[in-house]
Amino acid sequence: KNIVILISGEGSNMAAIVRAAEEGRWTERFGARVAAVLSNRPEAAGLVFAREHGIATAAMSHKDFATREAFDAALAAAIEPHAPALVVLAGFMRILTPGFVERYAGRLINIHPSLLPAFPGLNTHQRAIEAGCRVAGATVHQVTVELDHGPILDQAVVPVLADDTPATLAERVLTQEHRLYPRAIEGWLRRG
Ligand code: GRF
């Protein structure tokens, strides 16, 4: 079972998954491995981490494609050789076309930094603070054509503190993402 991870930047969630796969012996236990890490940004720092862990990488800049569909087709072409059982969006900051989502339906997941269905979209931490939320968190969900709205696989909750800024809340949530995502994927692997 090949896992392909898509990133756009730091890739801290990807790194947490790669470490969990190694430490959790996913290959021996589930026949699963992180087969590739792909990015829409060639300068994404996470690509270096992936290469250091012996994982195949590829990057393609969305700026090089005239349409969203053309970029998604190139992305799918880079994914297909790995015949993925699971495609994992981890800090992947592109909205995917319906054609791409349908192609990977049922094996395409994402992590979103809010307790969905609250706060789909961007600036989730600022919005949670402004709304006066007492709790915030992250959600692992199946990707569907409607942005940030697919069936939920798992969630993690953190407190929102009175003196929180978007940055302090983001840091607290990100720490939990690094526990949540590997746990959600391992749960998916267990369910076979
Ligand atoms: C973070 O804001 C995280 O909450 C969201 O994507 C952003 C970058 O994550 N999932 P990563 O460090 O690139 O995994």
Side-chain angles (χ1 to χ4, degrees), residues 7-14 90-93 110-113 125 170 173-174 177-178:
I7 67 171
S8 294
E10 185 60 35
S12 70
N13 274 292
M14 173 273 299
F92 188 66
M93 302 308 279
N110 180 45
I111 191 163
H112 179 76
H125 307 304
V173 171
L174 193 59
E177 289 183 35
H178 297 161

Side-chain angles (χ1 to χ4, degrees), residues 55-75:
I55 297 168
T57 62
M60 56 209 72
S61 173
H62 52 279
K63 302 185 187 90
D64 296 341
F65 297 85
T67 66
R68 204 174 273 281
E69 285 71 19
F71 172 77
D72 282 10
L75 189 59

Side-chain angles (χ1 to χ4, degrees), residues 120-192:
L122 300 174
N123 304 316
T124 58
H125 307 304
Q126 178 181 333
R127 291 155 64 196
I129 291 169
E130 286 170 355
C133 293
R134 291 297 192 272
V135 293
T139 303
V140 176
H141 64 97
Q142 290 213 29
V143 174
T144 59
V145 290
E146 195 181 352
L147 185 67
D148 299 334
H149 273 75
I152 289 172
L153 272 72
D154 204 349
Q155 296 187 300
V157 180
V158 302
V160 180
L161 306 180
D163 60 350
D164 261 332
T165 63
T168 58
L169 180 53
E171 185 183 356
R172 190 172 311 121
V173 171
L174 193 59
T175 300
Q176 292 308 311
E177 289 183 35
H178 297 161
R179 295 177 52 252
L180 174 68
Y181 221 169
R183 189 178 72 205
I185 293 171
E186 184 157 334
W188 185 87
L189 290 170
R190 282 181 196 283
R191 288 193 298 277

